[in-house]
Amino acid sequence: MLTVYMYPSCTSCRKTKKWLCTNNIEFHERHLFRETPTYEELLHLLSLTTEGIDEILATRSQSFKQLGENVEDWPLSKVVELLVKEPRLLRRPIVTDGKRLVVGYNPSALKNMAKKYRRVCVS
């Protein structure tokens, strides 16, 4: 089953959820701030990226700008610890089937990932 880390007031998250429901894709929704990914889950998500931390880090967010530090110089463990404490630093939504990852609203990537997860979606 797909897992979608999202925040309800996020426009990209709402678009992704609507796309999944419209296409009858089965998924488990996790509220990014109430059910924050664990350290281990974030390490797994990072292992699925093609661009590493840059793929999931919201560098344009206000939370990131307020850091005032260059996290690129940090060890990975420190960055992951920060993301667990400050999930607002994560780009959203994050969609995974455990083997692949889609970050942000990307219908073509969702279509490729979601083919085998069809079901009737209840909104």
Side-chain angles (χ1 to χ4, degrees), residues 36-40 42 79-87 90:
T36 303
T38 65
Y39 185 92
E40 293 75 19
L42 283 170
V79 175
V80 174
E81 286 173 8
L82 175 66
L83 293 174
V84 170
K85 291 177 189 171
E86 295 293 336
L90 288 167

Side-chain angles (χ1 to χ4, degrees), residues 15-78:
K15 286 180 182 179
T16 297
K17 182 176 181 177
K18 182 178 180 182
W19 187 95
L20 291 168
C21 288
T22 299
N23 288 279
N24 297 316
I25 306 300
E26 184 175 8
F27 66 96
H28 171 70
E29 182 177 340
R30 284 197 40 194
H31 191 292
L32 196 54
F33 306 142
R34 292 185 191 143
E35 297 178 81
T36 303
T38 65
Y39 185 92
E40 293 75 19
E41 287 171 326
L42 283 170
L43 285 179
H44 180 69
L45 292 173
L46 282 168
S47 75
L48 302 175
T49 65
T50 56
E51 301 169 27
I53 199 74
D54 291 338
E55 195 168 334
I56 66 169
L57 190 61
T59 56
R60 295 185 297 176
S61 72
Q62 192 62 34
S63 297
F64 183 81
K65 292 174 184 173
Q66 289 175 347
L67 285 176
E69 295 190 46
N70 186 2
V71 298
E72 292 177 6
D73 297 334
W74 292 9
L76 180 62
S77 60
K78 185 175 177 182

Side-chain angles (χ1 to χ4, degrees), residues 3 16 48 55 92-97 100-114:
T3 298
T16 297
L48 302 175
E55 195 168 334
R92 47 195 179 262
I94 298 173
V95 182
T96 185
D97 64 358
R100 293 168 290 177
L101 188 73
V102 175
V103 180
Y105 176 62
N106 184 335
S108 61
L110 288 170
K111 184 177 181 181
N112 288 335
M113 179 189 287

